Amino acid sequence: MGNKSVLVIFLVIGVISGVTVWLFLDRLSPTDVVPIEEDVPIEHDVPIEEDVPIEEDVPIEDDVPIEEDVPIEEEDESPAEPQKTDDEPPAPDRQESSITKMADAATIAKLEEGFKKLEAATTCKSLLKKYLTKEVFDQLKTKKTNLGATLLDVIQSGVENLDSGIGIYAPDAQAYSLFSPLFDPIIEDYHKGFKQTDKHPNKDFGDVNQFIDVDPDRKFVISTRVRCGRSMEGYPFNPCLTEAQYKEMEDKVSSTLSNLEGELKGTYFPLTGMTKEVQQKLIDDHFLFKEGDRFLQAANACRFWPTGRGIFHNDNKTFLVWVNEEDHLRIISMQMGGDLGQVYRRLVTAVNDIEKRVPFSHHERLGFLTFCPTNLGTTVRASVHIKLPKLAANREKLEEVASRYSLQVRGTRGEHTEAEGGIYDISNKRRMGLTEFQAVKEMQDGIIEMIKIEKEMQ
């Protein structure tokens, strides 16, 4: 076959194919033609959504640090681990895993400056100065709790106030574990040998009828008071509390106290809106806490004042509750004279009643958790205002008797005050390693002995 014949055959085939395609397309409806979707990204190239607006109505808690650089766990369907409450320090075998945050350079610089100030303060006698050695300082200065508290928060009150007896506070519950190389020896020193391996006994108010009137003739004891501190479960301590939390706690407490009955029935007075005249009168009567304590101010415990603060008292003003002063709650029973038995029984009734309505922070080893390490354990402080003119004339003798019974001698208005008119505030010193009953019994026995010596000296 010649070349011309082959060419003719190919031309014929091409014409036939073109006609066929034309006839096929002519039969299609316009809807049968599917357009190509352009600019649809392939799924594996989908970009991360940026500029998603933040929901503005959700308040940000300033004091809770944001955890950065935490890798996202993809498709982990294992049950979430229960979150620890703020009042529970990390378990011993997991403490290191919680130490993931580091203090910033500015904080460390302030710590270095504060440590030098302590070292140079040769007249300072605080337990902070005694136990914050260079080795302990270097070990703790970079650490930071999950709520953002550093060693600076722990020691800043003692650094600023070199006349402090203790000098440290716990900004949150975890601080007792994270900064234990400093807290543990101070706790052991103050609480007479309560070591890190020791465990505080369970709550035991004992036989309330064992307590008596220590001064039935009313010649020495002006008034008697027994109080305990409590922290509300699920909330941090003062330095880490937000303004919203202060308000929330006050609402819960005031609602709870308004349901008390019988001898405990009374009224709650918020500090917000309270006139200066009423406030000062309550302070003078020893019913209300003072505003602006320099030791608490330095510990950053007076923020948002007076929001969330207040006082509850019964109609006879023999039962009081301070709200958000140093601790979340200070539960107080008090009256004129020396009838310790009556005062103690009232307190026990009140504490047991409130605890049914408001759960308290409690640690298996440390007992009830509070802001100051001197108030751990039982948190109980039983005290009298007492005149002992003969014995007090020899302050060394007075302190010797007090030490024998583990008692503390303070001024009329408490720590860091003077004795007014020869009236001293004398109380039990130990709170840990013994029961509530034992702590108050030490105070009763010591006061009875002091009155006996005073009578002998007259």
Side-chain angles (χ1 to χ4, degrees), residues 75-95:
E75 300 184 14
D76 181 5
E77 298 183 0
S78 59
E81 183 174 330
Q83 294 184 348
K84 299 180 77 61
T85 59
D86 292 325
D87 55 88
E88 183 182 355
D93 61 341
R94 299 188 57 199
Q95 287 183 24

Side-chain angles (χ1 to χ4, degrees), residues 211-225:
F211 297 101
I212 61 172
D213 189 335
V214 296
D215 183 25
D217 297 330
R218 294 205 170 190
K219 292 182 178 180
F220 307 101
V221 177
I222 310 301
S223 63
T224 303
R225 184 174 85 157

Side-chain angles (χ1 to χ4, degrees), residues 153-404:
D153 296 300
V154 173
I155 72 171
Q156 60 187 349
S157 182
V159 170
E160 185 171 329
N161 300 286
L162 295 174
D163 58 340
S164 298
I166 308 300
I168 66 171
Y169 290 98
D172 58 38
Q174 188 191 358
Y176 281 113
S177 298
L178 190 60
F179 303 108
S180 60
L182 177 60
F183 274 104
D184 285 347
I186 288 178
I187 289 172
E188 180 176 346
D189 190 309
Y190 184 88
H191 294 282
K192 299 298 181 184
F194 187 86
K195 298 179 178 60
Q196 187 174 1
T197 54
D198 292 340
K199 178 181 176 182
H200 183 75
N202 294 328
K203 182 181 70 173
D204 182 6
F205 288 115
D207 182 359
V208 296
N209 294 316
Q210 290 291 314
F211 297 101
I212 61 172
D213 189 335
V214 296
D215 183 25
D217 297 330
R218 294 205 170 190
K219 292 182 178 180
F220 307 101
V221 177
I222 310 301
S223 63
T224 303
R225 184 174 85 157
V226 182
R227 64 89 169 147
C228 65
R230 290 291 187 269
S231 297
M232 295 173 63
E233 193 173 75
Y235 291 91
F237 303 153
N238 278 326
C240 295
L241 282 171
T242 65
E243 186 172 14
Q245 286 174 319
Y246 271 116
K247 293 177 180 179
E248 181 180 298
M249 293 167 67
E250 183 182 34
D251 289 343
K252 287 183 179 181
V253 172
S254 60
S255 174
T256 296
L257 296 175
S258 66
N259 291 320
L260 295 178
E261 300 176 345
E263 183 188 11
L264 303 178
K265 184 178 181 181
T267 307
Y268 179 76
F269 298 93
L271 215 60
T272 302
M274 182 183 291
T275 65
K276 287 290 183 181
E277 292 75 17
V278 172
Q279 182 177 335
Q280 190 59 49
K281 179 63 169 63
L282 291 171
I283 291 174
D284 291 341
D285 290 337
H286 308 292
F287 293 155
L288 185 62
F289 45 87
K290 294 184 295 182
E291 181 177 350
D293 181 295
R294 64 185 170 98
F295 298 92
L296 296 177
Q297 290 269 5
N300 208 22
C302 300
R303 299 188 311 149
F304 312 114
W305 192 280
T307 299
R309 279 80 170 186
I311 176 177
F312 172 92
H313 66 71
N314 65 347
D315 296 337
N316 295 328
K317 292 187 178 180
T318 56
F319 168 66
L320 317 172
V321 179
W322 291 353
V323 179
N324 284 325
E325 181 238 9
E326 178 176 325
D327 292 314
H328 296 166
L329 299 177
R330 283 288 178 90
I331 304 170
I332 308 164
S333 176
M334 61 190 293
Q335 67 186 50
M336 303 304 291
D339 195 339
L340 177 60
Q342 193 172 56
V343 172
Y344 183 71
R345 286 187 287 273
R346 184 186 302 118
L347 178 87
V348 172
T349 299
V351 170
N352 288 335
D353 199 348
I354 295 173
E355 192 170 17
K356 294 175 183 176
R357 311 162 193 256
V358 178
F360 297 142
S361 296
H362 187 273
H363 187 268
E364 183 179 0
R365 189 181 80 83
L366 299 177
F368 289 102
L369 297 176
T370 54
F371 186 41
C372 182
T374 65
N375 289 327
L376 293 171
T378 64
T379 78
V380 166
R381 183 174 181 272
S383 65
V384 293
H385 274 173
I386 188 170
K387 275 189 173 182
L388 300 166
K390 299 292 185 181
L391 180 57
N394 184 346
R395 185 60 184 262
E396 186 177 340
K397 176 66 174 176
L398 176 61
E399 292 287 357
E400 185 275 322
V401 178
S403 178
R404 198 189 314 159

